[in-house]
């Protein structure tokens, strides 16, 4: 069950499927039967659902041109509602989202008040939020209903709620009131003047959304507990400011029973998020600070990262480039290790809650070698790692995800072989060789007829060659028209689709955002 199925009833889910299909098609006029076939629905049902979809779009933008043309066909040339807007509109009007929103925004949430407000019954609430409750159980959390709440490790509750709102809004819609948004942005800006934060947080909604959710939970009297394992993040850390939360903005929020110990626990959790939420993508100042700090302390996560990468270098990466010299990779392995060290059990992530396969463009699937080698290492950790209580599968999958792109670039058997046939001079050939050579998983070479059977794909601008092969029902040949940018790019999209079918990737990548 994916996120949309979990949050929408069947009718709303079909609205979403139909509209996402229409958005993905070239703008034009289509019959309802065309769309019915694409979404695999019988015509009568597709017809009724399309009528309902039009009503939903009118609620969002009453002035928009109707999706249904006068002749009964579907005209997508003037669509004004983007998919994210419709998606959030549908999700926010469904009971699972309403229950979560009510639970976090009301001062005294109760099941009786919720049922009265939304004119529903307890039985209906329990039935419709069951998929959400099942997700909570994955993380050792659960709902309570007399006083509506999520109980368990409060850190996981905050991350779970972050994932729900992040997935619902796709980061383009602010789900709470304008005042809370203004406060969250101001707090973020104050924090960034006093401590280093990941560069991607500077203009992202991640930081304000986390702050808003934590603030709403604290207003209800829900606080994280401190943990001695946080010492690994703050011991002589120049980026640690013990008085960061001592600001007028925070004191004005009037959190109930906010003792100094609770404030310190929240501060420590915040520092934990600085090294769990980001997935490093480039070498920036914050990554370098993280590496310098862990190296200078020679702490347990630094030892894990370097020992693990040296082990994998010997077992699976027999290449001259040393894994431990890749700063981005080391930083991300440190984050995985911190998650396993500071959290017990499974940590909520976007990919687990979305239940989606996030294919990696540069990643193949070598279950027998790479995945099992990582699993073997985790299953035989030395005694000094006995305090790592994170979920074994989550750690293995996260490490697998980090190493997979490097591994498949290094292992030629996880590339696809492409022959390039371009009639013309060498300069023209070079132009297309440069265009198609920018992908680590494609090995492209001049077409040779003697190797015809060995190619995974053949890219060609020769219409005669293409038609000749097509007549023999060989689907490996991709034709492109020289001078048409859209046509020239199409072989790469075909190659991507072919590659992901040949080497399907592991689902549930352990990324938080």
């Amino acid at each position: 069950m994916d996120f949309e199925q979990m949050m929408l009833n069947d009718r709303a889910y079909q609205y979403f499927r139909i509209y996402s299909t229409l958005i993905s098609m070239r703008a034009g006029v289509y019959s309802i039967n065309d769309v019915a076939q694409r979404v695999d629905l019988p015509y009568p049902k597709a017809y009724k659902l399309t009528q309902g979809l039009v009503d939903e779009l009118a609620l969002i933008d009453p002035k928009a041109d109707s999706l249904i043309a006068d002749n009964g066909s579907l005209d997508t040339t003037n669509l004004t509602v983007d998919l994210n807007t419709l998606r959030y509109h549908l999700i926010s009007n469904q009971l699972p989202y309403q229950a979560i929103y009510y639970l976090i925004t009301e001062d005294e949430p109760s099941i009786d008040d919720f049922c009265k407000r939304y004119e529903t019954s307890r039985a209906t609430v329990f039935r419709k939020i069951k998929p959400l409750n099942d997700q909570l159980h994955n993380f050792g959390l659960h709902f309570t209903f007399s006083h509506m709440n999520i109980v368990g490790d409060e850190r996981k509750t905050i991350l779970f709620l972050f994932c729900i709102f992040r997935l619902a809004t796709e980061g383009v819609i602010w789900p709470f009131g304008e005042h809370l948004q203004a406060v969250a942005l101001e707090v973020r800006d104050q924090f960034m003047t006093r401590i280093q934060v990941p560069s991607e947080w500077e203009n992202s909604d991640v930081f304000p959304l986390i702050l808003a959710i934590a603030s709403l939970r604290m207003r209800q009297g829900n606080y994280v507990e401190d943990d001695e394992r946080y010492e690994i993040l703050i011991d002589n850390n120049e980026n640690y400011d013990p008085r960061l939360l001592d600001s007028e903005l925070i004191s004005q929020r009037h959190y109930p029973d906010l003792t100094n110990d609770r404030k310190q626990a929240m501060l420590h959790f915040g520092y934990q998020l600085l090294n769990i939420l980001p997935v490093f993508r480039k070498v920036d100042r914050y990554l370098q600070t993280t590496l310098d700090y862990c190296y200078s302390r020679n702490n347990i996560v630094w030892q894990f990262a370097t020992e693990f990468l040296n082990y994998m270098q010997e077992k699976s990466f027999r290449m001259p480039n040393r894994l431990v010299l890749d700063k981005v990779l080391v930083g991300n392995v440190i984050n995985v290790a911190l998650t396993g060290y500071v959290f017990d059990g499974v940590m909520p992530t976007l990919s687990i809650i979305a239940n989606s396969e996030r294919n990696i463009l540069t990643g193949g699937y070598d279950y027998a070698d790479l995945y099992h080698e990582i699993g073997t290492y985790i299953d035989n950790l030395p005694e000094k790692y006995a305090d790592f209580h994170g979920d074994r599968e989550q750690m293995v999958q996260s490490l697998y995800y980090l190493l997979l792109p490097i591994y498949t670039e290094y292992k030629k058997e996880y590339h696809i072989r492409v022959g390039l046939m371009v009639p013309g001079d060498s300069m023209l050939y070079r132009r297309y060789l440069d265009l198609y050579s920018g992908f680590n998983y494609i090995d492209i070479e001049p077409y040779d007829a003697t190797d015809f059977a060995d190619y995974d794909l053949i890219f060609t601008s020769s219409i005669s060659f293409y038609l000749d092969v097509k007549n023999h029902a060989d689907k490996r040949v991709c034709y492109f028209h020289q001078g048409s940018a859209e046509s020239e790019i199409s072989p790469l999209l075909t190659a991507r689709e072919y590659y992901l079918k040949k080497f399907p990737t592991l689902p549930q990548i352990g990324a938080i955002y």
Side-chain angles (χ1 to χ4, degrees), residues 32-200:
I32 291 179
N33 190 54
D34 289 335
V35 178
Q37 291 179 0
R38 287 175 181 259
V39 296
D40 194 25
L41 289 173
Y43 176 85
K45 187 172 184 178
Y47 177 82
K48 289 183 179 180
L49 287 168
T50 304
Q51 300 287 334
L53 172 61
V54 169
D55 293 338
E56 296 295 334
L57 293 172
L59 291 174
I60 299 171
D61 186 359
K63 297 181 180 179
D65 293 338
S66 177
L67 174 64
I68 300 179
D70 293 338
N71 62 1
S73 59
L74 302 179
D75 186 352
T76 67
T77 56
N78 294 308
L79 294 179
T80 59
V81 178
D82 66 83
L83 184 60
N84 282 334
T85 301
L86 174 71
R87 182 176 174 276
Y88 183 69
H89 165 78
L90 295 173
I91 289 175
S92 63
N93 283 285
Q94 295 289 307
L95 192 144
Y97 182 89
Q98 291 167 344
I100 289 289
Y101 189 87
Y102 172 87
L103 177 151
I104 192 176
T105 56
E106 290 295 315
D107 290 336
E108 295 290 337
S110 71
I111 186 66
D112 291 335
D113 179 63
F114 178 82
C115 290
K116 181 179 179 180
R117 183 176 303 188
Y118 289 95
E119 299 180 343
T120 188
S121 66
R122 285 186 174 219
T124 300
V125 174
F126 298 157
R127 174 171 53 84
K128 291 194 173 184
I129 68 170
K130 184 180 183 302
L132 273 176
N133 208 20
D134 292 342
Q135 283 279 15
L136 284 172
H137 290 163
N138 291 333
F139 314 117
L141 306 171
H142 65 274
F143 282 115
T144 61
F145 292 102
S146 55
H147 176 81
M148 284 185 72
N149 200 2
I150 297 174
V151 297
D153 186 337
E154 181 62 18
R155 300 171 304 171
K156 291 186 179 182
T157 298
I158 291 172
L159 289 174
F160 176 82
L161 291 169
F162 166 80
C163 290
I164 292 294
F165 285 106
R166 177 76 173 181
L167 288 167
T169 64
E170 293 285 355
V172 297
I173 299 168
W174 179 257
F176 306 119
E178 292 182 1
H179 176 69
L180 183 56
Q181 182 180 26
V183 171
L185 289 171
E186 191 171 355
V187 171
R188 179 200 65 181
D189 293 343
Q190 284 191 8
F191 284 177
M192 289 195 304
T193 64
R194 296 171 62 177
I195 63 171
Q196 283 188 39
V197 300
S199 58
E200 292 187 11

Side-chain angles (χ1 to χ4, degrees), residues 98 106-107 197 216 233 266 287-288 362 375 387 440 450 482:
Q98 291 167 344
E106 290 295 315
D107 290 336
V197 300
L216 289 168
L233 294 168
M266 194 65 203
L287 171 58
Q288 190 61 56
T362 57
D387 289 333
N440 294 333
T450 60
Q482 292 183 16

Side-chain angles (χ1 to χ4, degrees), residues 162 165-166 169 174-176 184 205-214:
F162 166 80
F165 285 106
R166 177 76 173 181
T169 64
W174 179 257
F176 306 119
D205 74 310
V206 171
F207 204 170
L209 186 57
I210 283 280
L211 290 171
I213 290 170

Side-chain angles (χ1 to χ4, degrees), residues 233-250:
L233 294 168
I234 61 178
D235 179 30
N236 289 325
N237 188 343
E238 294 181 359
N239 197 39
Y240 176 65
D241 182 351
R243 301 186 62 83
L244 186 65
L245 299 185
D246 295 338
S247 71
E248 185 177 349
L249 262 177
I250 293 175

